[in-house]
């Protein structure tokens, strides 16, 4: 009986001391991949090697973009800014493994851009989340409030239209 009791204690201690896989961490190869992707974005170097060919990106939408469409999206948006990128102001990164075994990296960042036409500086919080499979990003989601950028672009267009109308009237 005594041996059975000691064997039970040893068994409990052995199983309790076994290292279990982490379900949440702030340090992982996947987080480092996301940090590199953010650095590439800031450098305007759109390296697609981080992404699986079948990766789907959703930015403030339920419609996805392919990897190529996502890179085009970023390149087109370059035309609006004299400078832009994620700042080093308190970024947060975490990796979680879901109950279904999916690996996700979440990050909360600050984005800052200066409008090329007006010089107006816009700062906004951004939440990005990435699903990984076999070391590659297979899904990317991004959420932010684009209102200030949209209003500024609308004001720029209205100003251009008004100037064009004034020039047309002056030439009559």
């Amino acid at each position: 009986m005594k041996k059975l009791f000691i064997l039970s204690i040893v068994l409990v201690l052995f199983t309790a001391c076994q290292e279990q896989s982490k379900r949440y961490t702030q340090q992982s190869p996947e987080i480092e991949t996301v940090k590199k992707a953010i650095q590439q974005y800031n450098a305007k170097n759109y390296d697609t090697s981080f992404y699986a060919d079948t990766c789907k990106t959703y930015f403030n939408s339920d419609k996805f973009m392919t990897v190529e469409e996502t890179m085009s999206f970023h390149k087109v948006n370059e035309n609006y800014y004299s400078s832009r990128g994620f700042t080093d102001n308190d970024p947060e990164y975490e990796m979680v493994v879901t109950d279904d075994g999916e690996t996700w990296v979440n990050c909360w960042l600050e984005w800052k851009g200066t409008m090329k036409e007006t010089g107006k500086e816009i700062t906004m919080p951004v939440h990005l989340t990435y699903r990984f499979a076999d070391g590659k990003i297979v899904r990317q989601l991004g959420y932010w409030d684009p209102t200030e950028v949209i209003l500024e672009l609308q004001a720029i267009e209205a100003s251009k239209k008004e100037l064009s109308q004034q020039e047309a009237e002056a030439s009559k």
Side-chain angles (χ1 to χ4, degrees), residues 8-20:
S8 299
I9 298 256
V10 169
L11 185 61
V12 168
L13 287 175
F14 179 74
T15 56
C17 293
Q18 296 242 329
E19 186 176 323
Q20 297 183 11

Side-chain angles (χ1 to χ4, degrees), residues 22-161:
K22 289 186 177 182
R23 292 199 45 171
Y24 170 85
T25 185
Q26 289 187 303
Q27 296 176 356
S28 71
E30 292 84 359
I31 290 173
E32 293 307 311
T33 297
V34 169
K35 287 180 179 180
K36 287 176 189 169
I38 297 296
Q39 289 170 349
Q40 294 291 328
Y41 169 82
N42 282 350
K44 300 178 186 176
N45 178 9
Y46 301 109
D47 181 5
T48 60
S49 65
F50 306 115
Y51 300 91
D53 294 340
T54 57
C55 180
K56 293 181 179 176
T57 297
Y58 300 83
F59 286 157
N60 285 333
S61 176
D62 61 352
K63 295 184 176 118
F64 75 87
M65 295 182 283
T66 65
V67 174
E68 294 78 22
E69 291 169 333
T70 303
M71 297 309 134
S72 292
F73 169 83
H74 290 312
K75 290 175 185 175
V76 166
N77 285 334
E78 293 299 330
N79 297 319
Y80 303 125
Y81 306 102
S82 58
S83 67
R84 60 98 193 112
F86 292 103
T87 70
D88 290 330
N89 189 17
D90 296 325
E92 285 293 328
Y93 298 90
E94 70 175 13
M95 187 189 86
V96 295
V97 177
T98 67
D99 290 344
D100 296 330
E102 294 179 346
T103 300
W104 289 83
V105 172
N106 297 300
C107 56
W108 295 267
L109 307 163
E110 178 182 79
W111 181 92
K112 184 186 277 187
T114 303
M115 302 303 293
K116 191 181 285 186
E117 296 275 335
T118 62
K120 180 174 181 170
E121 195 173 271
I122 297 173
T123 303
M124 69 179 99
V126 174
H127 171 68
L128 299 171
T129 187
Y130 303 83
R131 180 170 171 241
F132 280 79
D134 299 323
K136 297 276 188 175
I137 298 168
V138 296
R139 186 172 176 156
Q140 175 180 226
L141 299 100
Y143 302 99
W144 60 89
D145 180 358
T147 304
E148 193 172 359
V149 172
I150 290 169
L151 291 175
E152 188 65 19
L153 290 172
Q154 288 173 340
I156 290 167
E157 286 304 310
S159 177
K160 285 181 181 179
K161 186 176 181 180

